[in-house]
Amino acid sequence: ALEGQAPDVLIIGGGVIGCAILRELSRYQLDVLLLEKEHDVAMHASGRNDGMVHPGIDLHKGQLKKKYNDLGNRMYETICADLGVPFKRRGQYLCFTKAYMKPVALASRVYWRMMKIPSKYISRRELKKREPLLSGAIRCALFFPTAGTVCPYGLTIAYAENAADNGAKLSLDTAVLDMEVRDGVIDSVLTNRGRVYPRLVVNAAGVFSEEIAKMAGDRFFSIHPRRGTNMILDKKAAFQVNTIASSARRSRNGVTGR
C-alpha cells in the first residue's frame, strides 16, 4: 500500500510526540505520513501513564529538559482547548512527615522562586481540609499549582484526528523493518507495506527509538526504559477514566449516543 510513496516528512511512532509533530506539520503545505506498528495510536507509553503535566520540580536550572518542560507546561490550556480535551490544573503536593522539616519547607520556597516554579506552604490543618483521609504521618506540604492532569491517550487521539482532518496521513499496523542510507542520508525506509522514499525522517518511536536510529546508522544515544505500576484508588477517578476511554472508543468507531 505504501510502495513508492515519497512524503516530505515521514514520522515513525504514533505516540503523543509523533502525533503532536504530525498535527503541527499538518498546518503547512506538506505531504506528511506517520507510521505506527500497532493497530492504533497511544498503544505504548503514551497510553500507559498517569497523565500528569509536570511542574518540573525534579529538574535543574540550565537543563534543556527544564526549558522545554516549562514551555510545554504553559501550552496545555491552549492546546487542550483547541482539541476539546479536558485539562485541569490540580497541582502537586510535596509532603513532609517530620515536624522539624517545616522550616526547611518554608525556606525552600526561595529555591522554587529562583526556579520560576510557583509554590505555596500548606499546613497540616489545611491539608486535612483538602483531603480528610490524609495519612496522620504527614505534617505539612508544599503545593505546586502549575501541575495538571490530562487523559494521555485522549490527547494523543485528538492530535492524530486533528492532523488527519488537516490532510495528514497515518498508516497503522505498519512496522519499519530497515533503512537504506547513502552518504549519511536516509534514502528509503522499508516497511511491511512497502518501501517509502521520504525527504525527511522524524524518529518518534519512544522506547524503540534506539532501534530505529540503529537502522540509520545513528549511535548518538541509547534508551534505558523503566517500568512501573499505576494504581487508581479513588472510585470516582476510576469511573471518570473508564468514561473517557469509552467516549474515545465511540469516537473512533463512529458510534454516537449516550
Side-chain angles (χ1 to χ4, degrees):
L2 298 179
E3 181 65 40
Q5 288 197 25
D8 295 313
V9 182
L10 179 70
I11 301 170
I12 302 173
V16 67
I17 300 298
C19 291
I21 294 171
L22 184 71
R23 186 237 186 184
E24 188 65 26
L25 293 180
S26 71
R27 299 170 182 266
Y28 304 93
Q29 296 298 315
L30 294 170
D31 181 6
V32 189
L33 172 64
L34 182 144
L35 307 181
E36 169 54 51
K37 66 184 178 68
E38 303 292 353
H39 63 273
D40 205 348
V41 299
M43 292 299 290
H44 286 270
S46 294
R48 307 293 186 271
N49 64 82
D50 61 7
M52 180 180 177
V53 177
H54 290 265
I57 63 173
D58 57 340
L59 304 177
H60 306 290
K61 201 168 186 179
Q63 282 184 309
L64 194 61
K65 185 175 181 179
K66 174 167 172 52
K67 173 186 174 181
Y68 288 116
N69 184 89
D70 292 349
L71 287 170
N73 183 290
R74 293 193 292 268
M75 292 168 63
Y76 266 87
E77 276 94 354
T78 301
I79 289 173
C80 289
D82 288 347
L83 296 174
V85 176
F87 171 71
K88 293 185 178 181
R89 293 275 182 198
R90 299 188 182 276
Q92 178 181 6
Y93 292 87
L94 179 61
C95 299
F96 299 86
T97 57
K98 304 296 183 183
Y100 65 80
M101 292 296 292
K102 178 179 178 179
V104 177
L106 287 167
S108 69
R109 294 190 61 206
V110 177
Y111 171 76
W112 301 119
R113 193 176 301 114
M114 181 186 69
M115 294 287 286
K116 297 182 179 179
I117 300 176
S119 65
K120 181 181 179 181
Y121 174 80
I122 306 294
S123 67
R124 166 73 186 179
R125 180 178 297 179
E126 178 62 25
L127 280 171
K128 280 294 277 185
K129 289 181 181 178
R130 299 188 181 195
E131 178 49 73
L133 299 180
L134 186 73
S135 167
I138 297 175
R139 311 309 304 167
C140 62
L142 284 175
F143 177 63
F144 301 94
T146 56
T149 56
V150 67
C151 175
Y153 46 88
L155 178 62
T156 306
I157 290 170
Y159 271 135
E161 290 184 340
N162 186 220
D165 287 341
N166 291 342
K169 292 178 288 186
L170 293 86
S171 183
L172 303 174
D173 294 312
T174 305
V176 173
L177 306 177
D178 200 4
M179 294 184 185
E180 187 177 26
V181 181
R182 295 181 183 178
D183 300 324
V185 178
I186 298 172
D187 184 66
S188 67
V189 176
L190 178 64
T191 78
N192 59 317
R193 293 178 180 269
R195 189 174 290 274
V196 184
Y197 299 83
R199 294 177 60 188
L200 178 70
V201 176
V202 176
N203 181 359
V207 296
F208 299 98
S209 57
E210 182 179 0
E211 303 305 315
I212 297 298
K214 282 181 184 178
M215 297 179 188
D218 182 3
R219 301 295 295 129
F220 177 70
F221 64 93
S222 60
I223 299 293
H224 304 274
R226 294 179 298 173
R227 177 177 292 179
T229 301
N230 288 331
M231 298 178 66
I232 298 175
L233 303 178
D234 182 83
K235 291 182 179 179
K236 183 178 180 182
F239 173 76
Q240 290 172 340
V241 169
N242 290 332
T243 301
I244 292 171
S246 299
S247 298
R249 284 195 293 269
R250 285 199 299 271
S251 174
R252 296 290 298 200
N253 296 331
V255 179
T256 59
R258 295 183 181 178

